[in-house]
Amino acid sequence: MKKVILLLLSIGLSINVYAQSEDEQQLKKIYDLALTDSKAYDWLNYLSNQIGGRLSGSVQAQLAVDYTKKQLDSLGLDRVYLQPVMVPKWVRGTPEFAYFETSPGLSTNVPICALGGSVATPLGGLKAGLIEVQGIEDLEKLGKENIEGKIVFYNRPMDPTLISTFASYTGCVDQRYSGAEEAAKYGAVGVIVRSLNLRLDDYPHTGSMGYGNTPVSKRIPAAAISTKGADLLSTTLKLNADVQFYFKQNCKQFDDVESFNVIGEIKGSEFPNEIMVVGGHLDSWDLGDGSHDDGAGCVQSMDVLRLLKKTGYKPKRTIRAVLFMNEENGLRGGNKYAEVASNKKENHVFALESDAGGFTPRGFSFDCSDENLKQVHSWKGLFEPYYIHLFEKGYSGADIRPLKNSDMVLAGLRPDSQRYFVHHHAENDTFEHVNKRELELGAASMASLVYLFDKYGIVK
């Protein structure tokens, strides 16, 4: 009996060692291929330098749809198709202009850009006194008597003591998104918002904003000012509270237009009705070319399918790369994809999003059960040779969140975030700021996680 038990233990150990070795080999194949024969960097080069910024509803967004579909078609996938979605069309217009005036005729120009979704200033621009606040909560303290007729200057900086720059961003983004809506309630005529950037520079950062239920006639223009400009303006206000601020912007909102999510898939060999998604958002803001946000996530997701296919892996489950349209100023693509999936009663079991830049991957955050997180932790040893060490509960991604149900696993790639907000939504989010090797490591990490969840399934 003792010999039988020892034999069974030996067989079990041998099987476990073999499985572990098989996984190690597959991950090595994926990383080796990504680092020696990647397509992601070339795809991103074209998206960034031949097409450029891809704001929803723009000609460039449609060119990106056509290009990425063509590239997915070239991979020999089981299916590549476009999913129609209506998206907002907001146009920036001619470049914005701003200055502050300390006395008649004595002015200093500062870099600004309109926030996405903002209304324009009057044709001749807008000039008014300023009142500086550190956040929306200050408006009530000041009251209408101190705000009416003025431009509200939101100047709360991102918290530099938070190591997670996304946590720092979250602590400030409300003044950008809701600042104009709230200031209008107190009679403000416009808002200027400090750019969400931890670095001091002259690049203003755009981003979406909303007016809520504010009537169209009561909506006020909103613009971001660069961090250096914000510091200069704040210092000047402390010396001279009577500063006048002038800005002009010509943005306009048009009727919604049709665009598309771009989807490519490999059909599952054993469980084709269980769907796994990997994706990023194809649209970007218009100031730069959207290389980090989120061209990187799109080309990485495309490369996941190519890497799995080229290494000879036959997925058990259907794996889709989804390039979502309109994450930046509406989330229409993510919502449409989830709506169609629900109507078709599709069974999504896993979704992974890359929307944090093309920097060195550090790990993943998961929106899932404790049991599935425990399973992920059992794979830590497989990722350690590639310096992937972060496996924690947390945020996954805006585009895949509408898919969420109690049974599936949502995940987000977590690259090193320290440089991300230097480029986020700004003119310097450009191709030359993406490191080829870092981009490829991210694609390999994503493909490896998809492989493991496909092979071992979701814990239920």
Side-chain angles (χ1 to χ4, degrees):
M1 184 65 180
K2 187 175 180 180
K3 288 182 178 179
V4 171
I5 292 172
L6 288 172
L7 179 61
L8 289 172
L9 287 172
S10 177
I11 292 170
L13 183 61
S14 297
I15 292 171
N16 185 59
V17 169
Y18 171 75
Q20 183 78 349
S21 175
E22 186 178 65
D23 292 338
E24 288 172 348
Q25 290 172 17
Q26 178 61 23
L27 263 65
K28 182 163 178 25
K29 282 183 188 177
I30 289 171
Y31 275 92
D32 286 354
L33 185 61
L35 294 170
T36 59
D37 184 31
S38 173
K39 296 294 183 185
Y41 195 67
D42 290 338
W43 288 332
L44 185 62
N45 183 16
Y46 191 95
L47 276 178
S48 301
N49 293 320
Q50 300 303 313
I51 296 177
R54 305 169 297 279
L55 192 57
S56 290
S58 67
V59 171
Q60 290 82 4
Q62 183 58 46
L63 289 173
V65 167
D66 295 339
Y67 174 71
T68 51
K69 181 181 184 298
K70 181 179 179 182
Q71 297 309 308
L72 286 170
D73 276 330
S74 73
L75 299 181
L77 306 176
D78 293 315
R79 188 185 180 202
V80 178
Y81 61 102
L82 300 181
Q83 185 178 75
V85 55
M86 297 301 292
V87 300
K89 182 179 178 66
W90 177 85
V91 175
R92 182 174 302 280
T94 56
E96 302 86 345
F97 176 72
Y99 64 80
F100 62 83
E101 187 177 76
T102 50
S103 61
L106 185 60
S107 64
T108 303
N109 293 359
V110 286
I112 69 157
C113 66
L115 292 178
S118 175
V119 297
T121 58
L123 191 60
L126 173 64
K127 187 176 183 180
L130 279 169
I131 185 159
E132 180 178 351
V133 298
Q134 290 297 299
I136 291 171
E137 60 279 0
D138 286 349
L139 300 178
E140 186 176 357
K141 299 173 189 174
L142 288 165
K144 190 171 184 177
E145 63 274 16
N146 291 306
I147 297 174
E148 191 168 21
K150 293 184 178 178
I151 295 170
V152 172
F153 170 35
Y154 289 100
N155 193 33
R156 182 167 76 249
M158 291 176 67
D159 185 349
T161 67
L162 297 176
I163 303 305
S164 168
T165 61
F166 282 89
S168 184
Y169 173 76
T170 301
C172 290
V173 72
D174 64 329
Q175 61 188 353
R176 187 196 76 200
Y177 188 81
S178 302
E181 177 189 0
E182 296 302 321
K185 296 175 183 177
Y186 294 87
V189 295
V191 299
I192 299 295
V193 184
R194 182 188 184 94
S195 287
L196 300 180
N197 178 11
L198 282 159
R199 187 176 75 167
L200 282 176
D201 61 27
D202 288 318
Y203 293 105
H205 293 228
T206 191
S208 63
M209 55 84 64
Y211 290 106
N213 296 319
T214 307
V216 174
S217 62
K218 300 290 185 182
R219 295 178 180 182
I220 60 177
I225 185 171
S226 70
T227 49
K228 283 179 74 173
D231 279 359
L232 177 61
L233 184 58
S234 181
T235 300
T236 305
L237 274 170
K238 289 177 174 62
L239 298 172
N240 181 1
D242 295 325
V243 164
Q244 295 281 298
F245 192 90
Y246 170 89
F247 72 113
K248 183 178 181 181
Q249 55 192 41
N250 303 280
C251 38
K252 186 175 180 180
Q253 188 78 47
F254 292 86
D255 292 338
D256 290 355
V257 298
E258 186 180 60
S259 190
F260 303 90
N261 293 328
V262 184
I263 304 171
E265 72 175 32
I266 301 172
K267 204 74 172 173
S269 58
E270 293 183 35
F271 312 108
N273 294 326
E274 293 187 10
I275 299 168
M276 301 176 65
V277 165
V278 57
H281 64 86
L282 191 53
D283 64 304
S284 75
W285 285 108
D286 55 326
L287 296 179
D289 59 43
S291 287
H292 277 299
D293 187 19
D294 183 30
C298 288
V299 299
Q300 286 172 330
S301 299
M302 293 165 66
D303 218 26
V304 166
L305 298 191
R306 192 189 70 89
L307 291 169
L308 292 175
K309 191 174 176 64
K310 195 156 185 180
T311 57
Y313 179 68
K314 305 293 184 187
K316 296 179 179 180
R317 295 161 179 83
T318 295
I319 301 177
R320 285 181 186 164
V322 183
L323 313 184
F324 298 95
M325 183 55 69
N326 184 233
E327 186 271 350
E328 292 293 4
N329 60 335
L331 204 64
R332 302 279 186 87
N335 286 325
K336 173 57 74 172
Y337 182 83
E339 176 192 328
V340 172
S342 176
N343 291 341
K344 290 184 174 181
K345 300 189 182 328
E346 291 180 335
N347 179 24
H348 283 73
V349 296
F350 173 85
L352 167 63
E353 185 164 354
S354 171
D355 185 17
F359 301 101
T360 304
R362 300 297 188 201
F364 304 91
S365 56
F366 296 89
D367 184 355
C368 66
S369 67
D370 290 339
E371 292 77 12
N372 278 297
L373 188 62
K374 185 177 179 181
Q375 177 177 235
V376 170
H377 279 285
S378 74
W379 300 330
K380 267 188 170 183
L382 294 168
F383 285 99
E384 283 176 358
Y386 309 102
Y387 299 109
I388 303 298
H389 62 272
L390 180 70
F391 302 91
E392 63 179 11
K393 275 204 171 184
Y395 182 69
S396 55
D399 289 299
I400 62 174
R401 188 169 48 189
L403 286 169
K404 181 177 170 61
N405 63 51
S406 58
D407 295 326
M408 72 181 297
V409 173
L410 301 179
L413 179 69
R414 290 293 159 255
D416 187 290
S417 72
Q418 302 312 311
R419 289 172 288 150
Y420 182 65
F421 288 98
V422 171
H423 306 282
H424 183 250
H425 297 176
E427 185 182 345
N428 64 342
D429 182 5
T430 50
F431 181 71
E432 65 265 28
H433 295 293
V434 176
N435 179 279
K436 180 176 183 288
R437 185 173 176 84
E438 292 177 349
L439 181 74
E440 292 164 352
L441 286 168
S445 301
M446 293 165 67
S448 297
L449 186 69
V450 169
Y451 156 75
L452 289 166
F453 267 110
D454 176 63
K455 180 176 178 180
Y456 293 104
I458 309 301
V459 179
K460 295 182 180 179

